[in-house]
Amino acid sequence: MARDSDGGGDDEAGGSGHGGRRRAVRDSVERHALLALAAATVALLLGIFYYPVATVFVDSVLVDGRLTARVFVSILRDPFYLGEPARLLAGEPIAAVVESALAPDRRLGVIGFTAYQAALSTVASVALGLPAAYLLARFEFPGRRTLRSLTILPFVLPSIMVAVGFVATFGQRGTLNAVLGALGLGQVNLLFTLEAVVVAHAFYNAPLVARVTTAAWESVDASAVETARSLGASPARAFRDVVAPQLYPSVLMGAALTFVFTFSTFPIVLALGGFQLATVEVFVYRLIRDLEYAEAAALALLELGISLGLLYAYLRYEARHTVRSRGIRPLPRRPLTPPSLSVRELLPRMGLAAYAAVALAVFVAPIASMVLASLSGPEGLTLAHYQFLIDRQTTGASFQVKPWDAVRNSLLFGVASLAVALPMGVVVAVLTTRDYRGRKVVDAVAMAPLAVSGIVVGLGLLRGLVFGVEVGGTRLAVGGGLAIVAAHAVAGYPFVVRTVAPGLEGIDHTLVESARALGAPRARALVDVELPLVWPAVVAGAAFAFAISIGEFSATVVLASGTSQFTMPIAIERFIGRRLGPATAMGVVLLVVTSASFLLIDRLGGDDVGF
């Protein structure tokens, strides 16, 4: 017994020693895991974003091997780019410039026009988004949750597909002219007009405004409204003094994001506006196509400076007005069917009915027109366009775009970029929600991909990673597929950050402090306490990242040129250059894949999403 006891004691001691070493290693890993992940994320960002982008921008100041600011100066002094203010930099009198700026025939310049169309698009997006937020936040009806999920769908739909839908709707042979012809009215052609561009931007961004405003409206505490009413405030006064002040921050957040997105828009303006309505981004693309890298890089750098400034202002505003819904009693939703026929009950519902008609024309008509065009031919309904895709897959030449290859590539790139973007986004969200000096600067720098042109990212990856980098006499290069995955991950991870960070900000920090007080390292507290609480936001961020990858066009069109790594949006762009029918059929395929993927992941995440 004594021997057994001793032996057991030895085993126990050995086991304790082994277990102690394992615990020590585990504790060491957990203590340094967050730092290691942060370092890995920074290194990855440096490799796949900052370095490639820097190689492009170097072209703006390194001309013929010499450092110079000549390109920037020429742009800032050229009224073609900066409008009337450029004359100030050229030394003209202020009074003369102001007089010209106030004249009806004033020149906006490319940068001024870009800001002008972004401002119009922002107003249109807010005007269309607010009624949707009112409907979703204040009324209960069957399918409300599904409709709320669908509100974000236009935002993640590929831009080239939306362009195809608008061509099918507003083109000379589009649905709108077919309806006008049936009514005996004259035809219109809205393509290549500013109105078409603004409406297309509203299609994209109004759902974003609706989503963030709905979340804020649902966070209004009903007891505050009831208190105001009990003190004699009318419903309108209670809304103005209690509800509206809680909605303004979210409305401004949605407007700020919309302005940033539409300021750097590319495929929509290129397809619906052409070069006569060109924005900064379209001119950057044109200059790159003409191999004018220095001027393109300088113009892109100016655009980046403006976008980053706006983004930084938005992030500071968001930090001060984060919506926290914990512990509140939401306002009860009313039935969509009026309980009585009083004016008070009927008036808002009649307004929503009018809004529904406008929403059908803006959001549903382009998609429905694209589907109808994919099934229509000169002799009526037909599947000829889908048969064309099948024939192209089976008989197409090796240099031609094949539909299944495009679908497969899109899905593979989507999964691969998600595997990179999701952990990167979560790590950055953690780093930007900790308290330290300069946190907002780090946040703005980490969100730079939101403001940098996709074309610039693609060109930087092409010139930096695909063409190769000399390291110690050895040229290191990656394939086009890896570069596309990197570009998609860069485009998608900021959306993970923006969905996860608000959740981390809203966590009750006493829970984390309790875990730390019990001896849990930061990494353990993060895994066991924080991430489970924000898991719906993590899943929603994954949905965004995957959908962004599926629809990414700007960087992919640069990286896929001359390769077989084309995706579904590139296939649509190739088809639309020849005939609209096959392009609409491919657009429907892309719509099905994107919608199914996004809705599946989004439904797994639930409603508690911060973005």
Side-chain angles (χ1 to χ4, degrees):
M1 289 294 290
R3 183 177 178 179
D4 290 342
S5 177
D6 293 339
D10 290 340
D11 291 343
E12 185 177 350
S16 298
H18 184 62
R21 285 193 295 273
R22 284 198 306 177
R23 280 196 298 274
V25 172
R26 185 188 64 191
D27 292 344
S28 177
V29 169
E30 289 179 344
R31 276 198 303 274
H32 299 96
L34 199 53
L35 184 61
L37 286 173
T41 300
V42 170
L44 195 57
L45 277 174
L46 287 173
I48 66 175
F49 176 69
Y50 291 106
Y51 171 73
V53 171
T55 61
V56 177
F57 291 147
V58 164
D59 289 337
S60 67
V61 294
L62 192 63
V63 180
D64 297 330
R66 297 174 56 188
L67 285 175
T68 176
R70 175 171 53 84
V71 181
F72 283 100
V73 173
S74 65
I75 288 177
L76 293 175
R77 287 183 173 179
D78 190 348
F80 176 77
Y81 286 118
L82 206 58
E84 301 296 345
R87 295 167 53 194
L88 289 174
L89 300 175
E92 295 192 29
I94 296 177
V97 173
V98 171
E99 183 180 357
S100 300
L102 297 176
D105 59 344
R106 61 185 174 276
R107 291 173 295 180
L108 292 174
V110 174
I111 296 175
F113 174 76
T114 302
Y116 176 63
Q117 63 84 26
L120 291 179
S121 300
T122 301
V123 171
S125 300
V126 172
L128 278 173
L130 289 185
Y134 175 59
L135 173 67
L136 292 171
R138 299 297 298 119
F139 291 91
E140 189 61 65
F141 53 89
R144 188 190 66 81
R145 187 173 184 275
T146 299
L147 182 61
R148 177 173 174 169
S149 294
L150 289 174
T151 57
I152 207 62
L153 191 57
F155 183 69
V156 297
L157 287 179
S159 52
I160 192 68
M161 191 205 73
V162 174
V164 170
F166 272 77
V167 171
T169 305
F170 301 113
Q172 194 169 5
R173 298 179 181 178
T175 309
L176 178 60
N177 280 331
V179 173
L180 293 176
L183 297 175
L185 302 175
Q187 291 189 344
V188 297
N189 189 0
L190 294 177
L191 292 184
F192 305 112
T193 65
L194 180 60
E195 289 81 1
V197 172
V198 169
V199 173
H201 285 163
F203 173 94
Y204 255 107
N205 296 288
L208 173 67
V209 175
R211 188 126 177 152
V212 295
T213 307
T214 299
W217 216 321
E218 291 174 341
S219 300
V220 174
D221 193 349
S223 61
V225 178
E226 291 167 358
T227 301
R229 293 297 309 278
S230 67
L231 294 174
S234 66
R237 181 68 181 274
F239 176 83
R240 188 188 69 187
D241 293 345
V242 178
V243 179
Q246 299 185 55
L247 301 184
Y248 293 152
S250 294
V251 175
L252 290 177
M253 285 179 195
L257 283 175
T258 299
F259 190 90
V260 171
F261 293 152
T262 54
F263 189 79
S264 58
T265 181
F266 170 57
I268 290 293
V269 177
L270 184 65
L272 302 180
F275 284 108
Q276 65 267 33
L277 294 175
T279 58
V280 172
E281 192 83 347
V282 176
F283 260 93
V284 169
Y285 170 70
R286 183 175 181 173
L287 291 169
I288 290 173
R289 199 179 60 178
D290 296 339
L291 305 181
E292 297 285 348
Y293 293 129
E295 194 169 344
L299 194 58
L301 191 58
L302 291 173
E303 179 197 32
L304 175 63
I306 297 171
S307 297
L308 276 180
L310 293 170
L311 195 61
Y312 181 69
Y314 155 70
L315 291 171
R316 288 186 63 87
Y317 191 82
E318 183 196 57
R320 296 174 182 174
H321 299 88
T322 300
V323 175
R324 291 183 173 86
S325 58
R326 186 176 61 252
I328 61 98
R329 180 166 58 87
L331 291 166
R333 294 190 183 92
R334 293 177 283 174
L336 195 56
T337 305
S340 68
L341 299 181
S342 65
V343 175
R344 181 182 171 186
E345 295 291 343
L346 289 178
L347 198 58
R349 290 169 174 81
M350 291 173 63
L352 288 174
Y355 170 74
V358 175
L360 283 174
V362 174
F363 298 111
V364 179
I367 303 301
S369 296
M370 183 184 69
V371 176
L372 180 62
S374 74
L375 297 169
S376 301
E379 299 179 355
L381 293 178
T382 177
L383 294 175
H385 303 313
Y386 294 93
Q387 184 62 46
F388 172 87
L389 297 183
I390 296 173
D391 293 342
R392 172 60 65 86
Q393 182 64 39
T394 54
T395 63
S398 59
F399 61 86
Q400 291 180 315
V401 172
K402 294 184 178 181
W404 168 244
D405 293 6
V407 174
R408 181 199 59 204
N409 287 341
S410 290
L411 293 174
L412 289 176
F413 292 152
V415 172
S417 62
L418 176 62
V420 179
L422 188 60
M424 277 176 58
V426 171
V427 170
V428 173
V430 171
L431 294 177
T432 55
T433 52
R434 297 297 191 260
D435 290 327
Y436 55 88
R437 185 182 295 274
R439 185 187 67 167
K440 281 302 163 190
V441 175
V442 173
D443 198 5
V445 172
M447 291 297 99
L450 283 177
V452 176
S453 157
I455 291 179
V456 171
V457 174
L459 183 62
L461 287 167
L462 186 69
R463 292 163 64 85
L465 298 186
V466 177
F467 289 171
V469 182
E470 288 284 347
V471 177
T474 304
R475 177 164 289 274
L476 301 178
V478 302
L482 285 177
I484 292 175
V485 170
H488 290 190
V490 164
Y493 93 86
F495 291 87
V496 179
V497 178
R498 296 265 63 83
T499 54
V500 176
L504 292 174
E505 291 272 16
I507 285 178
D508 185 356
H509 290 286
T510 59
L511 297 175
V512 181
E513 291 167 1
S514 299
R516 296 297 306 278
L518 293 173
R522 287 185 176 181
R524 173 64 64 184
L526 175 67
V527 172
D528 290 347
V529 179
E530 294 181 85
L531 288 184
L533 292 174
V534 298
W535 181 247
V538 175
V539 176
F544 271 110
F546 188 79
I548 293 295
S549 171
I550 291 290
E552 210 287 330
F553 176 79
S554 301
T556 311
V557 74
V558 175
L559 294 168
S561 297
T563 73
S564 61
Q565 306 292 339
F566 42 79
T567 59
M568 285 189 281
I570 303 302
I572 292 175
E573 187 264 344
R574 301 287 168 84
F575 288 142
I576 200 174
R578 294 167 176 79
R579 290 188 298 172
L580 184 62
T584 57
M586 195 68 209
V588 171
V589 174
L590 179 55
L591 174 66
V592 171
V593 173
T594 304
S595 303
S597 304
F598 183 81
L599 288 177
L600 175 64
I601 302 176
D602 187 61
R603 292 300 294 262
L604 290 174
D607 287 336
D608 189 16
V609 178
F611 194 87

